[in-house]
Amino acid sequence: MKPSRILVALTAVALLAAAGCSRSGSSGEESSASGGGNSSSSASADFGDLESVCHSGKASSAPAQGVTAGEIKVGVFTDMGFTKNPELVDAAKVFTSWCNDNGGINGRKITYNMRDAKLMEVRQRMLESCRDDFALVGGSAALDGLGVKDRLSCLLPDFPAQVDQIANAGSDLQVGGGVTAGGKYDPYTGFHQWLFKDAYPASAAAIGLINGDSPVTKVMGTAYEEALPAQGATIVYDDLYPAAGVSDWTPYAQSIKSKGVKGLIFLGDFRSLAKLEDVLTGMDYKLDWIDTNSNAYNSQFIQLAGSSLAAQHNYADISGTAPLESNLPAMKQLKDLFAKYAPGEDMTYPAVRAFGQWLLFAKSAASCGDSLTRKCLYDAGKGETAWTAGGLEAPTNLSDANFIQKCFNAEQATPQGWTTPDFKPDNGPYRCNVDPYVYKTPGGKPLTLADAGKSLSDLK
């Protein structure tokens, strides 16, 4: 993904900030749900350019943990008990309801266990998933690196909505999910170069970084400190703020102004960014651009930032994912499915990323027929060489462990909502002509099966 930075995303900076989302949901450690929407009539089993994603069949065996002749049980990681944000569970509900209405996967209905890590309980939830689930699908946890070794020890495949910590980004038995800053390469190279080279070239000499003081974002900040100067930018301001937020953003705004920052990269919660922008705008200091990060790509940020959006230029990189406001057939179909199976719930960027991973899981699982094993599932997922989630994402070669995504796309926050600026797309809604910066000093490496005392030959 992004990748989702949550993804995008795809990052999970918002998960590390103080909870304050107006939406609410159950924060129980585990819940189970199966398909079935508000209507008995099923939507088409095709999605975008994917045909017959789910369908009936005559499965008769129980070839793996969590798989019976009638059911496939998977886990969905979330931090909902901390963030109060149910978007990943919403995506699970929509997909499984739609899929099960169309016969399930070869006749097996999908059920899911919500694995609510509540930020700090990643290992506890992972051990529960190891005990019960066939695979992990469409989930994410801010401190996901804490559970990787346990997941690999129990040989649990993962189709994550997004990855956050380097230990998990590209770890073994993982299919899709994107990358994160600080890994092998900077996934936001194209986006930042468009901002400080193409759109606002004068800003290259005065870039600022403000970073939530958390394990995830501090790694990203360190990565940018290497990548940005190597790409021709000068960092004139680099600061941390408490991840839970601050009561008065005036000192930070004054520092940004005194340093003459023209382009600001904000790595933190969008609620905090809205407060900072309010202070900057109040002191009549206007930056050339602000990288909001994809956590801000939602309607709440538009409401919170208010009048500042007319003064400040806010942009988000949504990492090769179709814009929510686009008229692409796959996006329109996804909106229809949310309206049918989760009426009244927001269809967010992370939910789109999650739905794409559910599609990947379903296609991979269906290809295994009655003999649905973890090995077959994983091999099928890794065999996708140009995966687009039916048209929701830029093409990704999941079979290549060294694949580098060269596509990006930008969104701009305006008083009227999110819009697509002219960032010179050259491949549908994406721009795919950028070679991402490869780190000379990576912030770490993902865990492997060998780190857990296992090998791929153990996967059955």
Side-chain angles (χ1 to χ4, degrees), residues 74-238:
V74 302
V76 179
F77 260 81
T78 174
D79 279 320
M80 192 170 76
F82 179 73
T83 65
K84 311 306 179 189
N85 190 340
E87 58 196 350
L88 299 179
V89 179
D90 289 343
K93 175 185 177 182
V94 171
F95 182 87
T96 56
S97 298
W98 168 64
C99 186
N100 290 343
D101 274 355
N102 282 285
I105 297 178
N106 297 324
R108 292 181 171 110
K109 295 299 180 73
I110 308 174
T111 61
Y112 63 86
N113 291 314
M114 185 183 73
R115 304 299 183 184
D116 187 356
K118 304 176 186 177
L119 188 63
M120 299 303 297
E121 298 179 10
V122 175
R123 285 204 67 201
Q124 294 94 313
R125 300 294 87 75
M126 187 63 74
L127 291 173
E128 292 167 359
S129 192
C130 281
R131 181 191 66 206
D132 298 327
D133 298 331
F134 172 60
L136 296 175
V137 187
S140 179
L143 301 180
D144 55 4
L146 299 177
V148 184
K149 190 171 183 179
D150 293 309
R151 179 176 64 79
L152 295 177
S153 293
C154 73
L155 301 169
L156 187 65
D158 185 18
F159 290 65
Q162 69 177 19
V163 291
D164 297 305
Q165 294 189 295
I166 293 174
N168 191 41
S171 58
D172 279 352
L173 301 187
Q174 185 180 94
V175 188
V179 296
T180 187
K184 294 179 180 179
Y185 67 93
D186 176 12
Y188 310 111
T189 300
F191 174 61
H192 288 147
Q193 288 190 355
W194 168 67
L195 284 170
F196 68 73
K197 288 186 177 181
D198 299 343
Y200 303 96
S203 68
I207 302 296
L209 296 174
I210 187 162
N211 193 345
D213 190 2
S214 72
V216 175
T217 52
K218 287 174 74 172
V219 170
M220 294 177 66
T222 299
Y224 286 146
E225 289 166 4
E226 175 189 331
L228 291 171
Q231 297 169 50
T234 301
I235 299 174
V236 298
Y237 171 75
D238 192 351

Side-chain angles (χ1 to χ4, degrees), residues 23 59 73 76 91-92 101 141 145 151 260 277 280 296 311 372 375 382 390-391 434 439 449:
R23 303 174 67 205
K73 184 186 300 183
V76 179
D101 274 355
R151 179 176 64 79
E277 290 194 35
L280 287 166
L372 178 54
K375 176 174 173 51
K382 295 294 286 186
V434 178
Y439 295 111
L449 283 163

Side-chain angles (χ1 to χ4, degrees), residues 141-373:
L143 301 180
D144 55 4
L146 299 177
V148 184
K149 190 171 183 179
D150 293 309
R151 179 176 64 79
L152 295 177
S153 293
C154 73
L155 301 169
L156 187 65
D158 185 18
F159 290 65
Q162 69 177 19
V163 291
D164 297 305
Q165 294 189 295
I166 293 174
N168 191 41
S171 58
D172 279 352
L173 301 187
Q174 185 180 94
V175 188
V179 296
T180 187
K184 294 179 180 179
Y185 67 93
D186 176 12
Y188 310 111
T189 300
F191 174 61
H192 288 147
Q193 288 190 355
W194 168 67
L195 284 170
F196 68 73
K197 288 186 177 181
D198 299 343
Y200 303 96
S203 68
I207 302 296
L209 296 174
I210 187 162
N211 193 345
D213 190 2
S214 72
V216 175
T217 52
K218 287 174 74 172
V219 170
M220 294 177 66
T222 299
Y224 286 146
E225 289 166 4
E226 175 189 331
L228 291 171
Q231 297 169 50
T234 301
I235 299 174
V236 298
Y237 171 75
D238 192 351
D239 203 356
L240 293 173
Y241 77 90
V246 296
S247 58
D248 184 5
W249 283 94
T250 302
Y252 295 90
Q254 290 174 335
S255 294
I256 290 169
K257 182 177 181 178
S258 67
K259 296 289 186 180
V261 174
K262 294 184 177 181
L264 180 67
I265 298 174
F266 186 86
L267 298 172
D269 176 48
F270 64 85
R271 301 168 188 83
S272 294
L273 175 58
K275 294 175 183 177
L276 171 61
E277 290 194 35
D278 184 58
V279 177
L280 287 166
T281 303
M283 62 174 57
D284 198 30
Y285 188 73
K286 301 177 182 178
L287 295 112
D288 286 353
W289 55 266
I290 297 172
D291 171 6
T292 66
N293 77 68
S294 60
N295 286 311
Y297 182 46
N298 57 52
S299 59
Q300 294 178 65
F301 178 70
I302 299 297
Q303 297 169 1
L304 291 170
S307 59
S308 294
L309 296 178
Q312 311 291 349
H313 298 143
N314 286 268
Y315 300 95
D317 178 5
I318 59 171
S319 306
T321 302
L324 294 169
E325 67 275 9
S326 74
N327 290 318
L328 293 171
M331 184 58 69
K332 182 180 183 302
Q333 185 177 357
L334 184 54
K335 290 176 182 177
D336 290 342
L337 290 177
F338 263 76
K340 177 180 176 64
Y341 293 111
E345 299 294 340
D346 288 338
M347 193 188 80
T348 64
Y349 165 72
V352 174
R353 299 292 301 186
F355 195 89
Q357 289 296 93
W358 277 103
L359 288 167
L360 178 60
F361 167 78
K363 183 183 179 185
S364 302
S367 72
C368 297
D370 191 36
S371 300
L372 178 54
T373 64

